[in-house]
Amino acid sequence: MTAAIETSALTRRFGSFTAVNQIDLAVPQQSIYGLLGPNGAGKSTTIKMLTTLLQPSSGTAQVAGFDIVRAPVEVRRRIGYVPQMLSADGALTAIENLTLSARLYGMSAAERKTRIAEALDFSGLAEVCHKLVKTYSGGMIRRLELAQAMLHHPAILFLDEPTIGLDPVARRTVWERLQALRRDFGMTILLTTHDMEEADVLCDTLAILHQGTIGVTGSPLELKASVGPEATLDDVFVAFSGGTIQESGSYREVRQARTTMQRLG
Amino acid sequence: MTMMRFLMESAAVSMAELHKIARDPTEMFSRAIQPVLWLVIFGQVFSRVRDIPTGDVTYLAFMTPGILAQSVLFSAIFYGIAVIWERDLGIVQKLLVSPAHRSALVLGKALSAGLRGLVQAVIVYLVAWLLDIHLRWEIIPILEVLLAVILGSCIFSTFSLIIACIVKTRERFMGIGQVLTMPLFFASNAIYPLEMMPDWLKLVARLNPLSYLVDALRGAMILGGHSTHGLFLDFGIMVAVFLLMLVVAAKLYPGLAR
Ligand SMILES: Nc1ncnc2c1ncn2[C@@H]1O[C@H](COP(=O)(O)OP(=O)(O)OP(=O)(O)O)[C@@H](O)[C@H]1O
Ligand SMILES: [Mg+2]
């Protein structure tokens, strides 16, 4: 079986700065693949290239069987994306957000109806679907965003820090939803995270990115074993990224929390 | 088929915007204030200036289309701010990963600005009627006015979007927005006829799309008013300008996702 995502020397420069440097990734079909790495490692930049939002400076990538530069529209038809920021529109209701997505994916009225019902069911937001999204909790917004991203049953889902800023319960709910998407629809999921527990519990394969290059890839078990018999993923992270998790998490969380506040306010 | 798809994508964006417009009646109200002030205060004072050559119509009637054009301009020109806001939140990114045509997304935004413009038109008609300004109430001229208002809103909202794509931050946008709107307004035929201007300003006004909006409105909106260029030319120029803006904006819009 061919890989869902395959990159070859994928590179992105901003001016003279290389944010993503010649990375080779192969993400197996129907896997949950985690991109880890300290702030500024190039995780979001990689996802933006794979979702066709950003042109690579050099290198190539195939996503769902199509080249991201030569056939971006074909790629877009087959992917869903939840950005690092909160991307549901707070001035609209859940239904209106979902309807917008459904229309942009060219669904007929009948199809829209069933898919939106399915998505509301999936996200557990049916009861509040006529309320403005700005009145939702962070967890509800994330679930709505997931619902929006899965509405058209994409082959591949890209999630940039899907559980950042969520409480433990909301976080687990997101994990369950993601596992359900893989189980029920055979979706491949590529996510970034700073949460080692998330990486450990949810992901089949991890790649640790550091200054734009991939330090190591492997299953959580393999990676831990490679560092030492008692090693945790935290140790793996430190070993391959030369940073510490404590340092990296904080500012990001502050920023994210602020975005959430603005969003809700 | 592709055309249908294209229009549906635009409609999707417009409809989402429409929900927001419908939810914020206070915004409508605050938008009404400016045209009222212009007509009631500025208009009343300038009506006393006898030297403004306004043809067969009173100065107040002469400036009414100009004030409608102005309120279209002022409400459309800040569209870019909303887009920058949406970019900071990740909404733009979400739209851009969909397979929707880029220009359909831009057109959808523009059309929703057109809808806002229509509300402005209703407000200005209402105020003008209260001030006893003699308007043309036949159906065809009114449709011409509405079409001109939609086109004008599309032009200036897309222009605003282009600026947003270039400057990318709210602070810079606010700065540029202020710097652009006033000259666009004053270097046009909105509140005085072109004949009164020095030659260099005439030239600027001729290059200013707002002048064609005002000219079209002046022909269609007020009793005894007439358009200098004729509606055909006014609309032709506005359509051409809008298409050009649409092409440029569709090229720049994806850059916002960076
Ligand atoms: N549009 C841009 N222009 C210039 N530099 C950029 C741009 N986008 C990203 N960068 C830089 O590229 C590097 C990688 O950024 P990226 O957002 O991919 O990191 P990340 O791994 O997602 O980090 P985080 O964990 O903070 O989200 C950073 O140093 C960032 O400053
Ligand atoms: Mg990131």
Side-chain angles (χ1 to χ4, degrees):
Chain A
M1 200 152 59
T2 58
I5 304 169
E6 198 154 11
T7 75
S8 164
L10 192 65
T11 300
R12 173 69 204 204
R13 281 181 285 273
F14 294 108
S16 60
F17 174 74
T18 307
V20 173
N21 195 357
Q22 310 233 354
I23 63 169
D24 301 308
L25 281 179
V27 177
Q29 307 258 6
Q30 302 191 17
S31 64
I32 301 185
Y33 197 100
L35 270 186
L36 310 185
N39 295 135
K43 305 181 293 297
S44 295
T45 305
T46 304
I47 286 201
K48 282 183 189 163
M49 285 192 281
L50 296 176
T51 51
T52 76
L53 290 177
L54 198 61
Q55 291 270 334
S57 305
S58 62
T60 58
Q62 303 271 319
V63 172
F66 290 91
D67 186 281
I68 55 168
V69 176
R70 272 175 288 163
V73 178
E74 295 303 324
V75 171
R76 285 178 205 136
R77 280 187 222 285
R78 291 166 179 80
I79 62 170
Y81 168 58
V82 180
Q84 192 167 340
M85 300 80 79
L86 292 175
S87 63
D89 196 327
L92 299 175
T93 66
I95 287 267
E96 289 161 359
N97 269 289
L98 289 165
T99 305
L100 172 60
S101 292
R103 288 203 172 110
L104 292 181
Y105 284 89
M107 292 181 201
S108 67
E111 202 180 359
R112 279 204 302 271
K113 207 167 162 232
T114 48
R115 288 292 177 86
I116 290 176
E118 175 192 271
L120 286 172
D121 188 43
F122 165 84
S123 57
L125 294 171
E127 271 173 32
V128 291
C129 70
H130 291 293
K131 291 210 169 105
L132 289 186
V133 171
K134 66 180 168 206
T135 66
Y136 288 13
S137 71
M140 290 159 82
I141 294 177
R142 265 304 184 222
R143 278 183 279 139
L144 171 61
E145 290 174 321
L146 275 182
Q148 256 186 296
M150 59 75 79
L151 198 61
H152 55 290
H153 295 176
I156 307 173
L157 259 188
F158 292 89
L159 310 168
D160 205 345
E161 304 194 23
T163 58
I164 192 88
L166 299 189
D167 68 48
V169 178
R171 192 173 62 142
R172 261 166 217 287
T173 315
V174 169
W175 294 351
E176 278 162 25
R177 300 292 79 203
L178 294 180
Q179 276 155 342
L181 286 177
R182 172 177 43 186
R183 188 183 59 233
D184 301 342
F185 300 109
M187 287 184 198
T188 304
I189 298 172
L190 178 87
L191 57 85
T192 70
T193 183
H194 286 289
D195 177 344
M196 292 305 132
E197 190 192 354
E198 178 163 294
D200 214 348
V201 175
L202 191 61
C203 299
D204 311 309
T205 314
L206 301 174
I208 298 186
L209 220 59
H210 178 48
Q211 294 179 354
T213 56
I214 292 185
V216 65
T217 58
S219 71
L221 270 179
E222 286 163 3
L223 294 185
K224 284 184 281 191
S226 73
V227 172
E230 301 281 285
T232 63
L233 263 189
D234 288 7
D235 302 327
V236 174
F237 186 92
V238 174
F240 289 101
S241 69
T244 64
I245 301 141
Q246 280 73 19
E247 267 175 31
S248 29
S250 56
Y251 171 65
R252 142 76 1 85
E253 257 149 44
V254 171
R255 205 173 76 188
Q256 187 66 33
R258 266 227 299 265
T259 315
T260 312
M261 298 279 291
Q262 275 180 352
R263 186 96 191 86
L264 300 176
Chain B
M1 192 57 222
T2 32
M3 196 61 202
M4 274 301 290
R5 178 81 203 253
F6 184 92
L7 290 176
M8 190 163 133
E9 291 165 358
S10 296
V13 174
S14 300
M15 256 133 114
E17 293 295 315
L18 194 61
H19 288 302
K20 298 185 201 171
I21 297 174
R23 262 189 206 115
D24 202 355
T26 53
E27 187 195 319
M28 290 297 145
F29 182 74
S30 60
R31 278 167 197 279
I33 294 172
Q34 211 172 28
V36 170
L37 290 180
W38 276 91
L39 285 173
V40 172
I41 299 175
F42 186 91
Q44 299 296 334
V45 175
F46 268 63
S47 290
R48 290 159 192 274
V49 181
R50 299 279 165 222
D51 289 344
I52 304 177
T54 55
D56 301 334
V57 301
T58 63
Y59 179 72
L60 210 53
F62 173 85
M63 82 178 283
T64 302
I67 294 308
L68 174 54
Q70 179 213 42
S71 77
V72 162
L73 167 68
F74 283 17
S75 81
I77 206 77
F78 286 102
Y79 242 68
I81 279 282
V83 171
I84 289 174
W85 173 250
E86 291 183 357
R87 171 202 191 226
D88 293 344
L89 290 176
I91 296 173
V92 169
Q93 290 82 341
K94 187 150 234 170
L95 296 178
L96 285 170
V97 287
S98 83
H101 212 279
R102 271 70 191 116
S103 42
L105 298 174
V106 173
L107 180 63
K109 287 275 177 210
L111 289 175
S112 70
L115 291 169
R116 264 178 217 269
L118 290 184
V119 180
Q120 308 282 322
V122 172
I123 292 170
V124 172
Y125 264 90
L126 197 69
V127 176
W129 177 70
L130 289 174
L131 290 175
D132 202 25
I133 294 164
H134 298 285
L135 300 173
R136 294 178 67 182
W137 292 104
E138 308 99 287
I139 192 82
I140 300 287
I142 288 183
L143 288 179
E144 284 165 359
V145 168
L146 299 185
L147 192 62
V149 162
I150 293 176
L151 254 177
S153 304
C154 286
I155 289 174
F156 294 112
S157 62
T158 308
F159 179 56
S160 172
L161 182 83
I162 289 172
I163 295 171
C165 292
I166 295 169
V167 303
K168 292 196 176 131
T169 71
R170 247 182 301 174
E171 295 72 23
R172 277 182 283 183
F173 186 96
M174 286 309 276
I176 292 188
Q178 308 283 15
V179 169
L180 283 176
T181 39
M182 280 305 161
L184 273 172
F185 174 51
F186 287 115
S188 80
N189 53 355
I191 50 173
Y192 25 70
L194 285 185
E195 301 91 78
M196 284 179 75
M197 296 180 179
D199 284 344
W200 68 269
L201 195 56
K202 258 184 214 159
L203 182 68
V204 178
R206 287 232 165 79
L207 295 173
N208 181 352
L210 190 70
S211 295
Y212 298 91
L213 173 59
V214 173
D215 194 57
L217 293 177
R218 203 156 271 149
M221 198 173 172
I222 48 175
L223 268 181
H226 89 283
S227 130
T228 316
H229 308 298
L231 284 188
F232 193 73
L233 186 62
D234 286 331
F235 276 100
I237 287 176
M238 284 196 281
V239 168
V241 169
F242 178 50
L243 290 179
L244 181 71
M245 300 252 172
L246 197 61
V247 170
V248 174
K251 265 240 153 341
L252 296 179
Y253 188 58
L256 273 184
R258 255 171 234 159

